[in-house]
Amino acid sequence: MRDKKNWRDILAETFELPKEIMLDLPRVTLVGNVQLSVQNHRGIVEYTDQVIRVSITGGELLVRGEKLWIKSVFCEEILIQGTIFSLYYRV
Amino acid sequence: MPGTGEECLVSLINLWYYIKGYIIITVTGRRSERFINLAANRGILFWDIYFFDQVALMKVDIEGFRQLRPLARVTGCRVKIKQKVGIPFQFHKVAVRKGFLGGALFFVISLYLLSSFIWFIEVTGMENVSPQEIKETARESGLKVGVFKDSLDIPRVTHDLTVKIPDLSWVGLEIRGTGAHIKVVEKVKAPDPAGGRATHLVAARDGLVVEVLTISGRALVGEGDTVRAGDVLISGLVVPPGDGEGEPGDQGEAPGPAGEEGDYLVVARGTVMARVWYEGQGFSTLRQKRLVPAGDHAECKYIKVGDRKIYLQGDGRNPYPLARVQVNKRVPRWGGFRLPLEIVNMRFVEKKEVIQELTPEEAREEAREMAQQEARGQVSRGIEPVEEYFESLDTGDPQAYRVRYVIETLEDIARPQEVRPGREDYLGNHE
């Protein structure tokens, strides 16, 4: 598993391919502190209006904020809105 | 500006969701996030997910909602419908209220149907013809209450009305909504020949006929005839030519055209110019009593309110044995109103009688003036004298003078007079 990943990493770097595709990493887009888009996620782990935890490859993305709400949940993308205080990668 | 673009997109998306219809659901259960993940994996779309008090509030489209039940069972969540939003549900609601829909449809159809009938008929413009008669005639032509608008032949109705009611000269029919407005114009009636309204033209004064111009009727006088006041000049009874013109007397006294075969009555019209003489007489003597101002005068002033008089000066009585009184009344105004009182100013001018001696010329002149005034007073206003002359008359008294003043005019002496059956002048006899 680990070898495979390294091989993919090398491939991605060699051909300058987008890493989120090659390495199955999430693409996190933060618009100011009001909107957060997580592509290529693995599902929601927990959500309240103050904490949202999104499962990603190899860990978890922890979003803290106020009045958080999920604008939409698609298979590939999750869109979070509200006032975001912090982003934390828990591996 | 990404923000505004985002907003715009959001609202457009919301509109799309609204059109498609969506359901707001509440999800309770400790593993509601797993429920959402499962749904997302199956391609069920959730949006606007809020979470508070252990309850998740979210929106899901109709198609997705149908697939939620097994997922809820697997994750042990309870899904409740909070609200159904969108056009499909509106349709559904309406479909449920079939009675309402049917009623609305019935209302629209009946409104349309009822508005295509005539419900009111209104007649305006008549003075002598009764509206009932007009409505009756209109009914015969197809215009009645309850008739279908499209089946109404408007030109036929108006034509029929004008033909069947001879007193109408014009009929207009206007359909306004459910009302039919008949507007009529009556004929200005010419006097009915058989109704006794025919007129003669008779002489207003004595005179010598100078010119006769007949417009209608039968002239009974000619140039050079002398007529007396009241004589018929132009008769309203017309006798066709060659039909006993010389003997109008034996036509009997029956009115109208039945008098004799072919006779008929008309309104006599025309002018009869005649010389007319007006005469006045004046009398005067050499010694005359005259009233001349005696030199004294008195004033009297009072305010009249209703029948009450409030004297300010004098007592309203004439203090002289002979006097001329001048009365001057004034109604005071206050603003634009006439006050209900009168200010009266009376002036008494004392007169005295004197005996005046006149020369014969003065006396004659005075008599002439008197006669002229009398003659002029008889001449109608607007008529110019053709000739004026006077003559002294012999009184047999050297002290007295008498003058006759004559004014001669040329004027139209014809005056209309109604033909009254039974009277002698009905036939227009003229001697």
Side-chain angles (χ1 to χ4, degrees), chain B residues 87-103:
Chain B
I87 286 170
F89 297 109
Q90 301 279 340
F91 267 117
H92 185 66
K93 264 185 199 166
V94 171
V96 165
R97 298 178 192 169
K98 270 178 197 152
F100 174 77
L101 200 70

Side-chain angles (χ1 to χ4, degrees), chain B residues 138-348:
Chain B
R139 174 182 286 272
E140 286 164 24
S141 308
L143 173 61
K144 57 192 172 198
V145 169
V147 82
F148 198 58
K149 256 198 259 182
D150 292 349
S151 68
L152 200 60
D153 186 358
I154 291 172
R156 210 195 79 164
V157 174
T158 55
H159 178 256
D160 281 8
L161 278 171
T162 41
V163 168
K164 285 180 184 170
I165 306 177
D167 288 345
L168 302 181
S169 63
W170 179 83
V171 175
L173 175 59
E174 194 187 355
I175 306 295
R176 230 181 287 152
T178 56
H181 297 257
I182 304 173
K183 194 164 191 280
V184 301
V185 175
E186 283 183 11
K187 275 176 187 159
V188 176
K189 268 191 185 167
D192 190 352
R197 288 193 210 178
T199 53
H200 295 312
L201 287 179
V202 300
R205 296 180 182 286
D206 299 359
L208 175 68
V209 176
V210 174
E211 191 188 2
V212 179
L213 177 68
T214 312
I215 296 167
S216 70
R218 183 170 52 119
L220 296 178
V221 292
E223 214 171 295
D225 286 355
T226 309
V227 295
R228 300 197 68 81
D231 283 354
V232 176
L233 303 172
I234 300 173
S235 172
L237 181 76
V238 177
V239 181
D243 195 27
E245 201 172 342
E247 301 277 340
D250 57 7
Q251 283 174 357
E253 308 216 312
E260 194 174 290
E261 202 70 39
D263 289 1
Y264 54 94
L265 288 166
V266 296
V267 175
R269 265 177 296 194
T271 55
V272 177
M273 299 303 284
R275 278 184 185 275
V276 182
W277 288 271
Y278 298 93
E279 200 181 285
Q281 287 208 355
F283 181 77
S284 181
T285 52
L286 288 178
R287 286 168 67 88
Q288 287 199 336
K289 281 181 187 172
R290 291 275 170 93
L291 286 174
V292 295
D296 199 6
H297 69 266
E299 297 258 356
C300 171
K301 209 180 240 181
Y302 62 87
I303 296 171
K304 196 175 167 191
V305 184
D307 288 335
R308 280 184 65 90
K309 289 173 179 174
I310 301 157
Y311 287 97
L312 302 172
Q313 187 186 358
D315 56 0
R317 267 180 237 137
N318 183 5
Y320 309 112
L322 268 171
R324 209 165 71 88
V325 185
Q326 294 174 315
V327 181
N328 184 17
K329 287 182 180 176
R330 202 160 61 84
V331 176
R333 283 166 179 275
W334 189 71
F337 297 100
R338 291 165 72 95
L339 296 179
L341 47 92
E342 249 177 7
I343 296 173
V344 184
N345 208 341
M346 289 171 90
R347 186 183 166 89
F348 301 96

Side-chain angles (χ1 to χ4, degrees), chain A residues 44-45 47 69-71 74, chain B residues 33 37 45 47-49 56:
Chain A
I44 300 163
V45 181
Y47 73 102
W69 54 286
I70 299 166
K71 189 163 165 58
F74 299 99
Chain B
E33 71 281 345
N37 290 336
L45 179 65
W47 69 95
D48 289 1
I49 304 167

Side-chain angles (χ1 to χ4, degrees), chain B residues 99-115:
Chain B
F100 174 77
L101 200 70
L105 204 67
F106 174 75
F107 174 74
V108 169
I109 289 170
S110 57
L111 193 71
Y112 175 75
L113 278 176
L114 290 177
S115 64

Side-chain angles (χ1 to χ4, degrees), chain A residues 35 42-49 68-75 79 81, chain B residues 6 10 32-34 36-37 40-41 44-51 56 58:
Chain A
Q35 193 182 54
R42 295 273 163 270
I44 300 163
V45 181
E46 181 200 346
Y47 73 102
T48 65
D49 59 343
L68 297 178
W69 54 286
I70 299 166
K71 189 163 165 58
S72 56
V73 183
F74 299 99
C75 193
L79 204 66
Q81 288 205 327
Chain B
E6 192 79 2
V10 163
S32 58
E33 71 281 345
R34 203 171 119 73
I36 293 166
N37 290 336
N41 281 335
I44 297 168
L45 179 65
F46 286 129
W47 69 95
D48 289 1
I49 304 167
Y50 294 88
F51 184 87
M58 61 193 78

Side-chain angles (χ1 to χ4, degrees), chain A:
Chain A
M1 193 71 174
R2 203 174 176 85
D3 292 342
K4 197 177 180 183
K5 252 184 190 170
N6 287 338
W7 174 77
R8 281 192 180 190
D9 204 1
I10 292 160
L11 193 70
E13 273 185 15
T14 310
F15 293 99
E16 291 191 1
L17 291 168
K19 283 192 177 175
E20 73 265 22
I21 294 170
M22 290 311 296
L23 305 178
D24 202 16
L25 290 174
R27 187 189 182 94
V28 180
T29 314
L30 187 62
V31 180
N33 66 338
V34 293
Q35 193 182 54
L36 179 75
S37 152
V38 185
Q39 286 172 1
N40 204 11
H41 65 96
R42 295 273 163 270
I44 300 163
V45 181
E46 181 200 346
Y47 73 102
T48 65
D49 59 343
Q50 280 163 0
V51 180
I52 294 177
R53 281 157 65 202
V54 182
S55 168
I56 53 173
T57 309
E60 232 177 64
L61 181 64
L62 194 137
V63 185
R64 282 188 190 278
E66 205 173 48
K67 290 176 188 166
L68 297 178
W69 54 286
I70 299 166
K71 189 163 165 58
S72 56
V73 183
F74 299 99
C75 193
E76 291 297 322
E77 185 185 357
I78 181 164
L79 204 66
I80 296 165
Q81 288 205 327
T83 314
I84 295 158
F85 295 159
S86 67
L87 271 183
Y88 181 76
Y89 283 90
R90 192 185 279 166
V91 185

